Amino acid sequence: MKAKLKQVKGRKKEADGIALHNERLRSEGQREKESGRSEEAELRAARRRRQDGQP
């Protein structure tokens, strides 16, 4: 859930940066969005391992 929230916040920051022509805000939003995506992917992989019976 936190990973999804981070992605949404990142997308909002990125959109604000684009609208305000603020490159720093835009790139910060992109980083936050990517961080959320990678966290979500890690959680998904961990869930898959647990379902398969691996530690």
Side-chain angles (χ1 to χ4, degrees), residues 15-26:
D16 288 347
I18 291 169
L20 298 171
H21 301 288
N22 185 332
E23 193 60 38
R24 184 192 60 80
L25 188 60
R26 181 174 172 261

Side-chain angles (χ1 to χ4, degrees), residues 3-34 36-37:
K4 282 284 190 190
L5 182 61
K6 192 180 265 189
Q7 284 182 41
V8 170
K9 284 173 58 179
R11 281 196 300 265
K12 182 175 178 349
K13 267 188 186 176
E14 184 180 7
D16 288 347
I18 291 169
L20 298 171
H21 301 288
N22 185 332
E23 193 60 38
R24 184 192 60 80
L25 188 60
R26 181 174 172 261
S27 60
E28 188 177 311
Q30 286 177 333
R31 277 194 303 275
E32 199 169 310
K33 182 175 65 173
E34 283 302 315
R37 280 185 185 161

